[in-house]
Amino acid sequence: MMLFTEVRGLPVVPPGGAGPLGTVTSLTIDVVTGSVSHVWWRGGRFGRQSALPWDAVGAVGPGAVRVRSGDAPASAPPHHELLGRRILTDTGTGRGTVLDVAFDTRSARLLALFTTRGELPADRLLGLGDYALVVRAG
């Protein structure tokens, strides 16, 4: 298990362990599956941002995100930053903001959301957009 805030800033290391490709800036989640779908990183000569699908990640640990495949994805889904996002229930009640997210580094499954109002189980996620993260009330 790791937290999103622990992954942010880790080097992204290519196959063969050559110099890092860049540094992790964020993680994209798929609300339907309740898992991390992409790792976003910034690097290279011009510091451009790139996305890596989770299935191309070999390992995530306290020292680095190791890439299994050197293939660059053709496209990535729209990214909505989860950390700092407002939380609303499906009935419209505010539930604070997201402080951090715990996830399983092997399966990419989200385990829990840590919010300004306590912990929320990841299975309560319903949607994520530009305005808010929507969770099931109750």
Side-chain angles (χ1 to χ4, degrees), residues 1-5 7 26-38 54 80-83 98 100-114 119-128 133-135:
M1 177 190 88
M2 281 188 84
L3 300 172
F4 276 29
T5 56
V7 175
S26 191
L27 300 171
T28 297
I29 65 163
D30 179 348
V31 175
V32 174
T33 63
S35 62
V36 176
S37 67
H38 286 76
W54 185 262
H80 298 286
E81 184 63 45
L82 187 55
L83 299 180
V98 178
D100 216 336
V101 180
F103 73 104
D104 182 321
T105 57
R106 291 180 187 215
S107 67
R109 299 277 309 159
L110 301 181
L111 302 173
L113 283 83
F114 302 102
E119 186 176 330
L120 284 174
D123 62 358
R124 292 186 42 198
L125 296 177
L126 293 175
L128 175 63
L133 170 68
V134 179
V135 297

Side-chain angles (χ1 to χ4, degrees), residues 19-130:
L21 299 170
T23 304
V24 175
T25 57
S26 191
L27 300 171
T28 297
I29 65 163
D30 179 348
V31 175
V32 174
T33 63
S35 62
V36 176
S37 67
H38 286 76
V39 175
W40 288 84
W41 56 277
R42 183 175 305 280
R45 186 174 183 179
F46 300 107
R48 69 182 178 87
Q49 185 136 331
S50 301
L52 181 69
W54 185 262
D55 57 2
V57 172
V60 177
V65 173
R66 301 202 181 279
V67 177
R68 178 182 327 195
S69 165
D71 299 335
S75 64
H79 175 70
H80 298 286
E81 184 63 45
L82 187 55
L83 299 180
R85 180 71 57 197
R86 171 187 309 224
I87 303 168
L88 295 174
T89 66
D90 52 354
T91 59
T93 305
R95 288 279 303 172
T97 57
V98 178
L99 296 174
D100 216 336
V101 180
F103 73 104
D104 182 321
T105 57
R106 291 180 187 215
S107 67
R109 299 277 309 159
L110 301 181
L111 302 173
L113 283 83
F114 302 102
T115 77
T116 54
R117 293 194 180 174
E119 186 176 330
L120 284 174
D123 62 358
R124 292 186 42 198
L125 296 177
L126 293 175
L128 175 63
D130 290 333

